[in-house]
Amino acid sequence: MNKHVLVAAGVLIISIVIVANVTWARTNDFSKTPQKTLRGFEQTCIACHGVNGRRGSADGVPRLASDPKRYLIQQLDEFADKKRQNALMSEIVKNLTPKQIVVIATYFSQIHFLSTVPARRIRLLHISKFKRRWVIGKEIVNHGLWAKAVPRCEACHGPGNTGFFNTPSLAGQSAKYLQAQLQAFKDGRRPGGVDGVMSHIARSLTVQQIKAVSFYLSILPDNSKYKTPARFTLAPSIPDVAKGFFQPPLEKEAPTGEFGQSVRFGYLIFTHTPLFARNYVGDNLSCTNCHVDGGRRPYSAPMWAAWGIYPKYRRKNHKINDMGMRIQGCFRFSENGSQSTSGHVPALNSKVMIALKSYIKWLATNAPAGVKLKGQGYAHIPPPRKRFSITRGKVVYANRCAACHGIHGEGRQNIFGQTVFPPLWGPNSFNLGAGMHNVKTAAAFIDKNMPFGHPGILTLQQAWDAAAYMDSRPRPPNPKRVANDARAKKY
């Protein structure tokens, strides 16, 4: 058939679909429609997004079922404003009212989706090209590329990459669709999200890596809701720190036997502390919130640099501290352990303590002892040009931080109470005795590590101001001072 005839036929079909959808949008009053049953919508959109939005009719069309409501609203708004380029969607959405958009997004977000990996995709893994993509994609999705400041996908897209708050579900999506969206982020044809995080991530990936990530995500089953963290490998398979920094062990160096079990348990405690050490945690923070990427990231107090400097004297408690005592201090202040169910920190001979020390010791394998390693602790940053300001920090926080950490610093949790974005103040955050309740420490952390997924775009002044605002907000009291006050009252 003549290619011009095919093009004309395609244009005609698109025109008919646009007219039909516009007519549907204008003649349906969604405000009177129950949110769980959107009568007429399935018939209109089934051709593209599948029944109830559960599966796109073509490989490049996304499924919408179970995507977060907030994310769907944002995307429909961007189509209406033509920030996202799609002639058909823009034409449809421009005729919808804000209330109609909310109802549509609510409808799709409430549809349960449980994907099964098609057999044809499994068969692709027997082809060397696709097997190679699967291996590369798995590495990037599960561990990120931290040398390029690319975090693992689950950090923002929730457990199992099934979507969270304002980020879409990636598991089981069309590979062609995912690839097209990453390329659009890379080319600047799609808004890059808060602080351009997705644009930064996409630009950090090669074309081959984009294909690999898209393919790997497409064959991940969306196992609905993850009650426990998806347990991936202990460490990356490729070097994950920039040149010049100590390289902690990789997956191939993971220990076996009893020590290996202890290391793996320590990793789970470190990355999901309220879940695996719940008796000693009085807030919603995990160790990895301050020691990024499971304690591997330079300038976020990495564990491989900490192990070799203990025992050492600490002015905080006027004692020679070994690593166990130092960890107890973290539980007491950063984890607010006095408000935990046990009311105290883990004992030095407890299973939790032994596991954490095992994991930290393993991270420091081959690291020189008694030497200050590059990337140790938090960076030494110069003072701000102007004195840091709580007022300016409030503005920085609202514009650059609240999207993830909440307007009131409350953080964000999934439906099972697992913290995805940590609280920065309030009853579920670190207490007044924590090291992060020091403007200089907090500013240094923010300067090198935030915004998550695109660090370094804040000015030094903004980092200081944001830290000042965060540390000015209310939080639990310092248990040390509470104890001292109690003793004073007793006498």
Side-chain angles (χ1 to χ4, degrees):
M1 187 180 291
N2 189 295
K3 67 177 182 180
H4 297 293
V5 175
L6 287 173
V7 172
V11 171
L12 178 61
I13 291 171
I14 291 174
S15 300
I16 291 172
V17 173
I18 290 176
V19 171
N21 279 280
V22 170
T23 302
W24 164 80
R26 288 173 174 169
T27 57
N28 280 275
D29 183 6
F30 301 129
S31 63
K32 297 178 182 178
T33 306
Q35 291 183 345
K36 292 187 178 180
T37 56
L38 197 57
R39 194 172 300 166
F41 189 72
E42 302 94 328
Q43 289 79 6
T44 304
C45 297
I46 191 173
C48 293
H49 295 284
V51 177
N52 291 327
R54 283 196 172 101
R55 176 64 64 186
S57 60
D59 197 25
V61 179
R63 58 130 172 108
L64 306 178
S66 79
D67 260 345
K69 172 182 171 181
R70 184 178 289 267
Y71 170 76
L72 291 172
I73 291 173
Q74 179 185 357
Q75 300 315 301
L76 290 171
D77 287 340
E78 288 183 359
F79 281 127
D81 298 337
K82 295 188 176 180
K83 292 179 180 178
R84 280 192 69 176
Q85 302 299 314
N86 185 295
L88 176 58
M89 286 302 303
S90 294
E91 190 64 30
I92 294 170
V93 177
K94 78 177 185 180
N95 294 286
L96 300 176
T97 66
K99 191 171 184 178
Q100 289 170 339
I101 286 176
V102 170
V103 174
I104 292 170
T106 303
Y107 169 75
F108 278 122
S109 69
Q110 291 177 345
I111 295 174
H112 174 71
F113 176 76
L114 180 62
S115 73
T116 54
V117 181
R120 61 183 177 82
R121 289 190 187 166
I122 296 296
R123 286 196 295 270
L124 288 175
L125 292 177
H126 295 293
I127 302 173
S128 60
K129 177 177 72 172
F130 290 102
K131 188 171 184 178
R132 214 163 35 244
R133 283 185 186 176
W134 186 85
V135 171
I136 295 171
K138 180 181 179 182
E139 181 69 27
I140 297 172
V141 169
N142 292 349
H143 292 290
L145 294 172
W146 282 100
K148 295 183 177 180
V150 174
R152 62 194 181 100
C153 300
E154 196 182 52
C156 292
H157 292 272
N161 293 297
T162 57
F164 173 74
F165 190 61
N166 61 352
T167 60
S169 172
L170 304 179
Q173 272 288 16
S174 155
K176 189 174 288 186
Y177 172 75
L178 291 171
Q179 184 179 329
Q181 299 316 302
L182 283 170
Q183 196 62 49
F185 285 128
K186 189 182 183 81
D187 299 340
R189 290 181 285 107
R190 180 175 172 181
V194 179
D195 286 318
V197 168
M198 280 309 305
S199 295
H200 162 73
I201 290 172
R203 287 168 187 158
S204 300
L205 302 177
T206 65
V207 173
Q208 289 73 22
Q209 288 171 332
I210 285 176
K211 289 180 179 179
V213 166
S214 302
F215 178 70
Y216 177 76
L217 288 169
S218 74
I219 62 174
L220 278 183
D222 177 357
N223 291 324
S224 187
K225 308 299 180 185
Y226 282 69
K227 293 185 179 181
T228 57
R231 301 185 186 186
F232 298 127
T233 49
L234 180 64
S237 296
I238 59 175
D240 61 328
V241 294
K243 187 177 180 180
F245 294 97
F246 172 78
Q247 173 60 58
L250 302 176
E251 175 62 24
K252 64 183 179 181
E253 302 165 287
T256 57
E258 187 177 335
F259 178 60
Q261 291 177 0
S262 186
V263 168
R264 283 172 171 78
F265 184 44
Y267 168 75
L268 290 174
I269 297 171
F270 199 93
T271 52
H272 300 89
T273 316
L275 185 61
F276 292 97
R278 63 176 67 89
N279 291 339
Y280 310 110
V281 176
D283 55 29
N284 290 335
L285 297 179
S286 291
C287 305
T288 196
N289 294 142
C290 294
H291 309 276
V292 179
D293 189 30
R296 298 178 72 91
R297 184 115 173 114
Y299 296 123
S300 66
M303 296 296 97
W304 43 261
W307 179 264
I309 62 173
Y310 285 90
K312 76 171 187 177
Y313 180 82
R314 296 193 73 218
R315 287 183 297 174
K316 191 164 187 172
N317 59 5
H318 312 293
K319 295 178 181 179
I320 297 291
N321 289 211
D322 61 15
M323 179 55 72
M325 294 173 67
R326 182 66 184 87
I327 293 172
Q328 285 182 326
C330 285
F331 272 98
R332 184 170 292 111
F333 301 109
S334 297
E335 306 285 357
N336 203 26
S338 62
Q339 298 302 311
S340 66
T341 54
S342 69
H344 57 79
V345 302
L348 293 175
N349 62 347
S350 67
K351 187 176 180 180
V352 166
M353 182 65 73
I354 292 170
L356 282 171
K357 291 175 69 175
S358 297
Y359 175 62
I360 295 169
K361 174 178 172 55
W362 178 71
L363 284 181
T365 301
N366 297 325
V371 177
K372 184 171 182 179
L373 298 175
K374 182 181 178 182
Q376 177 183 311
Y378 299 111
H380 293 285
I381 60 174
R385 186 171 58 86
K386 302 177 184 177
R387 179 172 175 76
F388 55 74
S389 162
I390 293 174
T391 302
R392 287 196 306 269
K394 184 177 182 179
V395 176
V396 174
Y397 181 86
N399 293 335
R400 317 302 285 268
C401 315
C404 292
H405 295 285
I407 297 174
H408 305 294
E410 69 276 19
R412 302 203 189 279
Q413 294 180 299
N414 64 15
I415 61 172
F416 297 108
Q418 299 166 0
T419 298
V420 180
F421 300 123
L424 302 184
W425 64 82
N428 294 314
S429 189
F430 56 86
N431 64 46
L432 291 171
M436 201 58 73
H437 191 255
N438 177 302
V439 175
K440 184 176 181 179
T441 301
F445 176 83
I446 292 169
D447 182 59
K448 290 294 185 182
N449 299 284
M450 294 291 122
F452 195 69
H454 198 182
I457 65 171
L458 297 180
T459 65
L460 188 65
Q461 184 71 57
Q462 287 174 322
W464 277 96
D465 292 343
Y469 176 67
M470 179 184 78
D471 281 347
S472 73
R473 309 309 297 152
R475 61 185 67 258
N478 183 340
K480 194 174 178 181
R481 292 187 178 179
V482 170
N484 288 339
D485 289 345
R487 281 194 291 270
K489 290 178 182 179
K490 182 178 179 180
Y491 294 103

